[in-house]
Amino acid sequence: IEAAHKFINDHFPDCQGALLAGSVVRGEATETSDLDIVIFDNNLSSSYRESLIEYGWAIEVFVHNLTSYKQFFEMDHDRARPSMPRMVSEGTILKDDGVIDSIKKEAMDILSNGPKEWSKETINTKRYFITDSLDDFIGCSNRAEELFIANTLAELLSEFVLRTNRQWIGSSKWIIRSLRNYDEQFSNQFVEAFDIFYKTGNKNQVIQLVDDVLHPFGG
């Protein structure tokens, strides 16, 4: 927090608001964690993002004026990956000239309302891609190819489960975090099925998991 305040004072002393977000705020910081800092500065004509190292920290700064952030809120909502709303909602206030409360409320409203509902056509299309990957997975006997097919299948399946239940999705570590946030028991089954495959090559639990997920939608 001290480093974040120094960064604001040195680089954005005239900004209207600033937040510290990310793993440090959530109490999940590791040796490689950086400081995610969101800036609101109405003197800027457009938004930008920058990575730098100062005060002994890697810093990722997201800089917006008092309207540009809305476009990022909208884009994140459309893709169902609420990176910006999540940072704003969870962020610790570093500076506030009276703008942060309303922006935080916008972010929390987006998060609580969830993403757009998938249409039946979209669900059927996604079912097709999952089934196609599953067929490749079942029929493949090349270990190197199996690994990458499994990766694709895991990503498609996690997206399908979350979006058909009006939940936010994510990428990388946020895939499993999103699954756990939705249903911890299912996320454990998901991890176990793919973990067994990666360790032993046994595909049965992955195949059963896919069948169980797709069954309510026609298989």
Side-chain angles (χ1 to χ4, degrees):
I1 291 177
E2 182 181 350
H5 276 294
K6 285 182 178 179
F7 179 80
I8 300 302
N9 292 334
D10 291 345
H11 294 277
F12 298 94
D14 299 322
C15 71
Q16 285 72 50
L19 299 166
L20 175 62
S23 57
V24 171
V25 170
R26 292 192 301 271
E28 301 170 350
T30 67
E31 290 183 1
T32 58
S33 293
D34 57 10
L35 298 181
D36 293 322
I37 299 177
V38 185
I39 305 292
F40 298 98
D41 189 339
N42 214 32
N43 296 315
L44 299 171
S45 59
S46 61
S47 58
Y48 67 92
R49 177 176 176 174
E50 186 176 8
S51 299
L52 49 126
I53 298 176
E54 288 193 30
Y55 321 109
W57 284 89
I59 298 175
E60 192 84 11
V61 58
F62 305 82
V63 187
H64 297 273
N65 59 39
L66 297 183
T67 56
S68 65
Y69 73 89
K70 294 178 182 289
Q71 181 183 358
F72 286 80
F73 278 6
E74 184 177 350
M75 288 190 299
D76 282 358
H77 181 264
D78 289 344
R79 68 187 185 131
R81 294 184 181 182
S83 302
M84 183 68 177
R86 186 180 284 123
M87 280 197 297
V88 170
S89 69
E90 73 183 11
T92 295
I93 297 175
L94 299 170
K95 182 178 179 180
D96 182 16
D97 286 350
V99 301
I100 296 296
D101 282 350
S102 62
I103 299 174
K104 271 183 169 286
K105 185 179 185 306
E106 288 180 61
M108 288 186 283
D109 286 346
I110 290 170
L111 291 173
S112 62
N113 289 333
K116 295 178 181 177
E117 186 176 0
W118 266 359
S119 66
K120 186 175 181 180
E121 181 180 358
T122 298
I123 290 174
N124 287 336
T125 300
K126 297 292 185 177
R127 279 175 57 212
Y128 168 81
F129 286 126
I130 291 171
T131 303
D132 188 52
S133 295
L134 181 63
D135 287 343
D136 284 344
F137 181 67
I138 293 171
C140 185
S141 58
N142 182 306
R143 180 59 176 168
E145 293 179 0
E146 283 179 342
L147 292 174
F148 289 93
I149 296 170
N151 293 347
T152 298
L153 189 57
E155 189 164 353
L156 289 172
L157 192 65
S158 64
E159 179 195 40
F160 188 88
V161 169
L162 292 167
R163 291 305 311 274
T164 54
N165 287 281
R166 292 288 305 278
Q167 301 293 311
W168 299 108
I169 61 174
S171 61
S172 187
K173 61 190 177 185
W174 279 102
I175 293 177
I176 190 60
R177 289 179 180 181
S178 299
L179 285 172
R180 284 176 180 155
N181 185 62
Y182 163 60
D183 187 331
E184 189 166 357
Q185 182 178 351
F186 174 82
S187 72
N188 291 337
Q189 293 173 350
F190 186 97
V191 170
E192 181 183 11
F194 281 94
D195 196 34
I196 287 173
F197 163 72
Y198 287 127
K199 288 178 177 177
T200 70
N202 189 315
K203 302 177 182 181
N204 291 337
Q205 281 191 238
V206 172
I207 295 169
Q208 187 61 56
L209 183 70
V210 177
D211 285 343
D212 291 343
V213 168
L214 294 185
H215 179 73
F217 301 90

